[in-house]
Structures are given as C-alpha cells and as structure tokens.
Amino acid sequence: MRFLRRSLTGIFLLSMTLVLLAWAGNTVRSAVEARLGQEPRSFAQREREFSVNVLTLAPQSIVPELTAFGELRSQRTLDLRSATGGIVRHASDALVEGGAVTAGQLLLRIDPVEAEAALARIRANVQDAEAELRDAERALDLGRDELAAARAQAALRDQALARAVDLQARGVGTAATVEEAELAASSAAAAVLTRRQSIASAEARIDQATTGLARVRIDLAEAERNLAETEVIAAFDGTLSDVTISPGGRVTANEMFARLVDPSMLEVAFRVSTSQYARLLDGAGNLTPAPVSVALDASGVNLTALGRITREGASVGTGQTGRQLFAQLDAAPGFRPGDFVTVRIAEPALDDVALLPATAVGSDQMILTVDADDRLQPVPVDVLRRQGDDVIIAAGGLAGLTVVMERSPLLGAGIKVRPIRPGVIAEETAQMITLDPDRRARLIAYVAEGQMPDEVKARIIAQLEQEEVSFETVERLESRMGS
C-alpha cells in the first residue's frame, strides 16, 4: 500500500513538471513571436560632421630654403716640417696641441752645430776662391805689362833690321849684320806671341776663378739657408694641431711635427643632389653665390654663422652622387675645422606661391578645400618645393580658397565639416537639453545593450538619468544608434 502511494505521488509530480515546462515553453514562444511581429525601431538619421583646422590660401613671395649637411674646413692650413734633421734644443711653450701662435713666432730650434760648421767651411772656401780670383787678376795685369814690353822690344829689333838693310844697300853694312838683325827681330816677335799666350791663360784663369767663386757663393747661400732652417717660424696666426715633438727629441729631414691651422678662415664643404644643384644655377649655367647659414647644435647651444657659396667640386667622385659645393664663412666664432654642421642655402625667390603644411597635400597631389556649404572639395595643386614640415605650391588661381591643414582617411569629397581657423579659440560651451521619457529610455536601453565596459555604461547611464543631459553626448549616442 505504501509503495502504491509513493508511486502515485511521483507520477503526479512528474506530470506537474511536464505541465510547467510546457507552459514556460509556450510563454517563451509567444514572447518571441510578439517580438518578431513588432515593427523595427527607427531613429532620426543625423549627418556626421568633422571638425577640421583650415587656413585661407594667400599668394606671396617665398625664398625657398635648401637644407644639407657638411663639414667645416680651414682655407689656410700648413704642415710644419723640419727641413734639416737633428736634436730639438728649444721648443716654444705654444708648441702644444691647440696652442695659439702668431706670425713670426719661433716654434722650434734644432741644434745648429753641424749647420754652423758647414757654413764656416763654405765661408773659408769663399775666401780661397776670392784669393784665387785676385791672384788671377794680378797675373793678367803682369802679363799685359810683359806683352807691352815685348812689343816695344820687337819694335826696336825691327828698327835695327831696317838700319842694317839700309846700310847694306849703301854698301856700308854686311850681309852677316843683316842676318843677325833679322834673327833678333824674329826672336822679339816670338816673345810677343809668348806673352799673348800668357795673357790668354791669365784670362782663362780669371774665368775659372770667377766660376769657382760663384759656386762657393751658392754653397754659402745654401749653408746659410740650412742654418736658418734650424729654426721653424710660424707663417701666420693660427692654432697648432697634431703636435708630435718636444724638447730633446730628434727629428729627421722633412718630418712633419705639427700642423698650423687658421681658424678664422673657415669654409664648409657640403653635397647636394643634382636637382638641388640645378636650382642654384643662373641663366648662363653658372653657380650663383647664394647666401648660406651654418648651424651647429652643441648640447642645446645653437652656434650659427653666415657665408656665401664660392665654388663647386671639379668632379663627382667615385661612388658619390650629386655635386659638392663650398661656401666661405664670414665671422664664425666657436666653430672649428672638422665640425659637422647643418647648412641652409637660400634659393632664388619664388613669386605667386603659397606655403602649406605638408599634411595638407595628399600623395595624389590634391588638397581639400571647404566650399560655401562647409563641404570638402578636392583641388589639384603643383608642389614646387618641400622643406621640412611644409610645402610650397603654385598659387595661381587658388587665392582665397579655404584649405584643410591636416588630411585624414576620414575626410573626402562631399563630407560636411566644421572649419576651425587658426587664431580663433573655439569656446565650446556644453549645451544641456531636457529629454522626454521615451527618448531617455531608448538611450538608456541602447547603452545598456551596447558592448562597452561596465564602468563606462554606468557613467553614461548616470548622465542620462539626470534632468538635463549634454547635447553632445545625446548627439553622439543617437548618431551611433542610427549607423
């Protein structure tokens, strides 16, 4: 009996469970059918506006600026070398790395003992050569006197021969006397010839002595120069670098021991592309002396100097491109040879052009302009130069247009925008509105069903539940609901 009662109770409970499940399923089915039978909700569609920064395009004359990088050099650099070898006996206190020297200052003195001894020997040789020349001149004078005496003797012998011949013709003299006079005259003529040969030898001796004296005088000048070259003198005002010598050291002939650099005569060498180089040429194809500005950023301290382009490289160079240019600097305090600097070159001025931010021009060479209805219209432009974050465009026919300063993928033709002009501060005052119950409920339901973080949902719902709600918030939510 008890088993039967328990069985009936179980069957009753099972039946009730099945009834409840059927009733719940029917309720869900009815709710779904009612939901599906409702008309879809529709919300007012609002056109989205984008705030854009704009400017008014105004034609003007602009001097484009070309930027390059270069290295400073000194136009006057001298390698200091020792013309003779020896031990350094004296070195100037300024003969150190970075030492400042003046023109004519003694930098180095090499031991002059050998040069002085060689000079003394050459001077003795000069004295010997001068003595030899004087002796040859005296011998020539004596030879000339002897020649005059021999000629006088020959004249007397000729007169004696003439008398002997005359006496023989008158029958007074003899043939032997005439022959004796002829022999004497012949001997006198031979003596004259001998004296003439002596004079010729004396003249040749003078020539040789003169040549020998000239040679030893050349040796003397060379010895004096060698002695003078034991002292190294600064040729101009400058600063020393690459110093490798000190007192007591030994140098060899033609050894470089320092380099003298003039830091006041600086130039900058820089390289530009071929197209940039072509813009620096005049109508005749010659390089223009364009002004340049050189800047060196040294730990936040910007050193600047001005100058002008003076010349260009003779060749491009192996593995190089473009052109190498040189610009001479004016006053350049703080700069030193070897500094890596930024060079800005002023190109010839461009007329009827406009300066725009580089972000205003797209890759298709188009800009976006704002028409009278605050809608965007693309306009093609001719980009003449790009310098830094700006571009220079030809402004012909574009004057007065309102141009978008920053393009983005969201902007395109026909899109409505809210222009913001530079220099105008937009006072955005939050506009508060009062929502009707239905509108408030729709917004709260949309936020609650949306896929936003819980804290964001709570914050927005709290704002919507207030009596007055920000118009911007409502507009943003309704624009999303209608999208």
Side-chain angles (χ1 to χ4, degrees):
M1 189 67 182
R2 181 181 298 176
F3 174 75
L4 179 61
R5 185 172 61 252
R6 289 179 177 177
S7 299
L8 292 175
T9 302
I11 292 171
F12 174 76
L13 293 176
L14 177 62
S15 301
M16 291 299 294
T17 301
L18 294 175
V19 170
L20 291 175
L21 288 175
W23 177 76
N26 183 58
T27 302
V28 171
R29 182 180 62 80
S30 300
V32 171
E33 290 178 353
R35 181 70 174 176
L36 293 176
Q38 292 179 355
E39 295 182 0
R41 291 183 302 173
S42 60
F43 302 95
Q45 298 288 334
R46 291 177 177 268
E47 183 178 5
R48 189 173 182 181
E49 293 184 0
F50 295 91
S51 297
V52 294
N53 296 318
V54 299
L55 57 82
T56 302
L57 194 147
Q60 56 182 316
S61 294
I62 299 178
V63 178
E65 195 173 65
L66 189 154
T67 302
F69 298 95
E71 182 182 4
L72 291 185
R73 301 178 180 179
S74 177
Q75 290 182 295
R76 188 160 62 170
T77 302
L78 177 64
D79 291 341
L80 298 179
R81 298 179 181 271
S82 171
T84 60
I87 299 175
V88 178
R89 292 303 182 190
H90 170 76
S92 173
D93 295 337
L95 190 60
V96 292
E97 189 71 24
V101 299
T102 58
Q105 180 178 349
L106 177 63
L107 301 179
L108 188 72
R109 179 182 290 114
I110 300 173
D111 190 357
V113 173
E114 296 181 1
E116 290 174 348
L119 178 60
R121 286 193 296 270
I122 298 300
R123 284 175 176 170
N125 293 338
V126 170
Q127 291 176 357
D128 291 342
E130 290 176 346
E132 174 65 19
L133 179 59
R134 289 194 299 271
D135 188 28
E137 290 175 347
R138 286 193 295 268
L140 179 59
D141 292 339
L142 291 176
R144 287 173 179 172
D145 293 342
E146 290 177 350
L147 177 59
R151 285 177 175 173
Q153 185 69 25
L156 293 176
R157 294 296 182 183
D158 289 339
Q159 292 177 3
L161 176 60
R163 284 195 300 272
V165 172
D166 184 58
L167 292 174
Q168 183 183 13
R170 288 185 295 176
V172 177
T174 62
T177 303
V178 174
E179 290 177 359
E180 185 179 356
E182 289 177 350
L183 290 174
S186 177
S187 298
V192 171
L193 181 59
T194 301
R195 298 307 176 191
R196 290 178 61 188
Q197 291 176 348
S198 299
I199 290 176
S201 298
E203 290 176 348
R205 183 183 174 187
I206 290 177
D207 293 339
Q208 291 177 355
T210 302
T211 304
L213 179 61
R215 289 197 183 98
V216 294
R217 283 178 176 171
I218 294 174
D219 295 338
L220 175 63
E222 184 177 357
E224 291 175 345
R225 185 174 64 254
N226 291 337
L227 179 60
E229 287 176 347
T230 58
E231 296 181 350
V232 180
I233 307 298
F236 51 84
D237 297 347
T239 305
L240 296 176
S241 65
D242 301 335
V243 179
T244 60
I245 198 64
S246 60
R250 175 177 287 276
V251 294
T252 60
N254 202 37
E255 177 184 352
M256 190 185 83
F257 61 87
R259 177 176 286 112
L260 182 59
V261 179
D262 188 351
S264 63
M265 298 183 63
L266 294 179
E267 67 176 7
V268 58
F270 57 96
R271 187 171 293 275
V272 297
S273 65
T274 305
S275 59
Q276 292 172 337
Y277 168 77
R279 296 201 295 264
L280 297 175
L281 301 179
D282 57 15
N286 299 320
L287 184 65
T288 59
V292 301
S293 173
V294 175
L296 173 64
D297 188 3
S299 300
V301 179
N302 195 14
L303 301 177
T304 59
L306 302 178
R308 284 190 173 275
I309 295 177
T310 56
R311 66 187 190 280
E312 58 184 298
S315 60
V316 176
T318 304
Q320 301 290 338
T321 59
R323 300 290 186 272
Q324 188 177 31
L325 304 181
F326 300 88
Q328 183 177 356
L329 303 183
D330 300 333
F335 289 91
R336 288 295 180 269
D339 285 338
F340 189 73
V341 295
T342 302
V343 184
R344 294 180 174 85
I345 307 101
E347 299 182 20
L350 298 177
D351 298 327
D352 194 21
V353 295
L355 185 67
L356 294 179
T359 54
V361 183
S363 59
D364 55 355
Q365 305 296 305
M366 304 281 284
I367 61 174
L368 294 177
T369 61
V370 182
D371 59 14
D373 297 330
D374 290 340
R375 295 189 180 276
L376 298 180
Q377 299 296 334
V379 176
V381 294
D382 183 13
V383 178
L384 302 179
R385 298 284 191 280
R386 292 185 180 271
Q387 50 182 30
D389 296 332
D390 299 323
V391 295
I392 300 175
I393 65 171
L398 304 178
L401 294 181
T402 301
V403 181
V404 177
M405 297 175 62
E406 297 94 9
R407 295 190 58 172
S408 73
L410 300 177
L411 302 179
I415 293 179
K416 190 173 183 60
V417 296
R418 184 184 305 162
I420 300 176
R421 301 184 181 277
V424 178
I425 301 177
E427 297 182 357
E428 296 183 357
T429 304
Q431 299 180 6
M432 309 299 291
I433 60 175
T434 302
L435 299 177
D436 57 82
D438 293 339
R439 190 176 182 186
R440 189 190 305 273
R442 287 198 305 270
L443 293 174
I444 293 176
Y446 171 74
V447 173
E449 296 173 0
Q451 299 184 5
M452 290 184 284
D454 294 339
E455 59 272 12
V456 177
K457 290 182 179 180
R459 185 175 69 251
I460 296 177
I461 291 175
Q463 294 178 5
L464 294 174
E465 290 177 347
Q466 296 179 3
E467 183 178 355
E468 291 186 349
V469 185
S470 171
F471 174 76
E472 183 179 357
T473 302
V474 174
E475 183 181 20
R476 183 173 65 253
L477 292 175
E478 289 183 344
S479 64
R480 294 179 180 176
M481 291 169 62
S483 58

